[in-house]
Amino acid sequence: MKGSFESVVSMKDLEASKRIAAISAQAQWFEDNSSILPNHKKKNVVGISAKVITAIGEVGDSAPATPVGINLPNPNWIREKHGSKSVMLGNIMDAYNYVKARSPATEEFSATPEIAARIKQHGALAANLHVDMHEVIGHASGRINDGVGTPDKTLQTYAGTLEEGRADLVALYFAIDPKLVEIGVMPSIEVGKAEYDSYITSGLMTQLYRIKPGEDIEEAHMRNRQLVSAWTFEKGKAENVIEKTVRDGKTYFKVNDYDKLRTLFGQLLREIQRIKSEGDYEAGKNLVENYGVKADQTLLAEVHKRYEKLNIAPYQGFIQPRLVPVMKGAEIADVRIEYPNDFSAQMLEYADKYSNLLVRN
Ligand SMILES: [Zn+2]
């Protein structure tokens, strides 16, 4: 077994937590109206506690690459009995969204200027809602059949990818549902369409920038994103739901029918929930191996070439603020926040102060 550690110091974002509370309050409605089979639905969705936090400092697995949401506990039996707890890291999401809204990659990889404009306008909210729905409704949804073991036993090494896919699909299935407008968390379904465009482009193409030429996809979230996108691309081919075009040697994926794409997301969600509920290892393995693992090397080379021209790094990391107490006698009267701007210097400072294991020359 392998263990790891992560720690986040945070404070609650009261305003942003209202959005998530509005979603959380509808947990039973989402469960009842999901595309999964009736006997895989929870009769009483309990205890989804969610809030948005402002990260102040992160260490361990949470830094320098940070999660945008954390959902605990991991064991399914505790979740089913007592519920689960979710936090969204609001200021981290804001930082990613800030960069994304200004990134030339949006124009570079969007099939049309209109699609790029919609992502620039609604992409930030779309991404926030996706994470909210993924964490609060997605992971908490569905039940495992009586007598079937937990996914780490039944689905083994495929459990992580399938679980992330399942949670993404819950978010995607409801992304263009008028319910989200009705409960006041998005102004129109244009937000959901922006999410469909971003997700498909990332899953079928742009995320390939994160892996090296010759390699396949290993990481669970990346595998699930490709699985979901490649499966819906293939199943919608006859009706041209997602269209692949090449212009001037550049590949684009364009969603032609958002409602049909939603139906396909619903079908895949039902199947992955069935796999989890029944513990169907073979079916789970086939889905992941056939759609999630192999990287299209021609497309990968093209994506690398296009990104390199834009001079954008494939991953973003964060430098931690330094919190300096302002003393008044023996009391802390205030805290001054300093923002170091040299990542290597911060790592070396941590090594100096906090590590007796790191050997430097
Ligand atoms: Zn997740």
Side-chain angles (χ1 to χ4, degrees):
M1 294 193 93
K2 192 165 81 169
S4 66
F5 156 84
E6 62 184 322
S7 174
V8 180
V9 177
S10 67
M11 62 184 183
K12 191 171 174 184
D13 181 336
L14 296 169
E15 196 50 44
S17 291
K18 287 178 190 162
R19 184 189 69 225
I20 225 162
I23 290 170
S24 184
Q26 299 293 330
Q28 192 65 54
W29 186 92
F30 287 117
E31 188 74 352
D32 294 344
N33 288 278
S34 170
S35 64
I36 62 178
L37 294 167
N39 57 330
H40 296 153
K41 289 183 181 178
K42 278 190 181 138
K43 300 283 170 288
N44 289 299
V45 184
V46 286
I48 301 173
S49 140
K51 60 187 178 185
V52 181
I53 59 172
T54 299
I56 297 169
E58 300 181 285
V59 293
D61 273 4
S62 293
T66 164
V68 290
I70 301 170
N71 194 303
L72 290 168
N74 288 323
N76 262 287
W77 68 270
I78 303 179
R79 301 165 78 96
E80 281 195 18
K81 222 170 161 181
H82 303 286
S84 59
K85 174 181 170 173
S86 289
V87 294
M88 254 51 71
L89 285 70
N91 56 331
I92 301 291
M93 290 291 294
D94 288 347
Y96 281 131
N97 290 336
Y98 180 91
V99 170
K100 195 173 164 194
R102 285 154 185 80
S103 172
T106 307
E107 272 99 11
E108 175 64 35
F109 293 101
S110 294
T112 68
E114 292 74 29
I115 289 170
R118 184 165 57 195
I119 291 173
K120 295 218 158 183
Q121 189 185 351
H122 296 298
L125 178 60
N128 287 345
L129 281 174
H130 181 83
V131 176
D132 291 352
M133 289 293 293
H134 173 112
E135 299 289 346
V136 179
I137 306 297
H139 281 305
S141 157
R143 61 177 292 273
I144 294 172
N145 291 359
D146 296 335
V148 172
T150 53
D152 59 315
K153 304 266 179 346
T154 57
L155 307 176
Q156 301 170 36
T157 51
Y158 300 105
T161 297
L162 291 166
E163 179 59 18
E164 293 311 325
R166 204 180 62 82
D168 265 2
L169 284 161
V170 171
L172 291 166
Y173 184 68
F174 290 109
I176 61 167
D177 196 303
K179 181 77 176 176
L180 294 181
V181 179
E182 192 190 305
I183 63 172
V185 296
M186 70 183 191
S188 74
I189 62 164
E190 291 299 294
V191 178
K193 289 180 178 176
E195 181 57 27
Y196 279 18
D197 294 327
S198 297
Y199 194 95
I200 292 297
T201 303
S202 168
L204 286 174
M205 186 163 58
T206 51
Q207 71 164 1
L208 292 173
Y209 185 35
R210 292 183 167 186
I211 56 173
K212 295 194 181 78
E215 287 179 353
D216 280 324
I217 302 171
E218 295 286 345
E219 201 271 328
H221 293 81
M222 287 185 67
R223 281 186 168 186
N224 109 62
R225 238 176 270 130
Q226 177 168 300
L227 190 173
V228 168
S229 309
W231 189 93
T232 47
F233 177 60
E234 186 190 287
K235 302 293 169 191
K237 230 170 201 169
E239 293 181 278
N240 209 18
V241 176
I242 301 167
E243 188 179 351
K244 181 181 178 179
T245 52
V246 180
R247 282 198 309 268
D248 307 325
K250 291 179 177 182
T251 306
Y252 300 92
F253 290 93
K254 181 171 175 285
V255 178
N256 285 325
D257 191 327
Y258 293 88
D259 291 325
K260 282 201 178 122
L261 182 53
R262 182 191 184 189
T263 305
L264 291 170
F265 285 143
Q267 284 171 12
L268 185 57
L269 171 59
R270 184 161 57 236
E271 172 61 3
I272 293 184
Q273 180 62 55
R274 184 198 66 74
I275 288 169
K276 182 180 178 183
S277 295
E278 296 176 2
D280 187 344
Y281 175 81
E282 276 306 313
K285 178 186 167 187
N286 286 337
L287 264 186
V288 177
E289 293 291 346
N290 292 338
Y291 296 96
V293 177
K294 281 267 161 284
D296 178 334
Q297 292 295 328
T298 314
L299 203 49
L300 184 149
E302 181 194 319
V303 168
H304 274 252
K305 223 174 91 193
R306 287 164 74 179
Y307 258 114
E308 271 149 24
K309 266 196 196 128
L310 302 175
N311 196 24
I312 299 172
Y315 281 101
Q316 288 140 330
F318 288 76
I319 298 177
Q320 304 300 317
R322 189 191 291 116
L323 307 177
V324 184
V326 179
M327 305 302 289
K328 211 174 192 178
E331 302 275 298
I332 297 177
D334 199 358
V335 177
R336 200 174 67 240
I337 304 170
E338 294 176 358
Y339 292 98
N341 57 15
D342 185 333
F343 176 72
S344 305
Q346 177 160 77
M347 291 295 110
L348 292 173
E349 182 194 334
Y350 285 175
D352 253 357
K353 281 188 179 160
Y354 311 119
S355 168
N356 52 15
L357 293 172
L358 194 80
V359 180
R360 280 192 282 130
N361 54 348

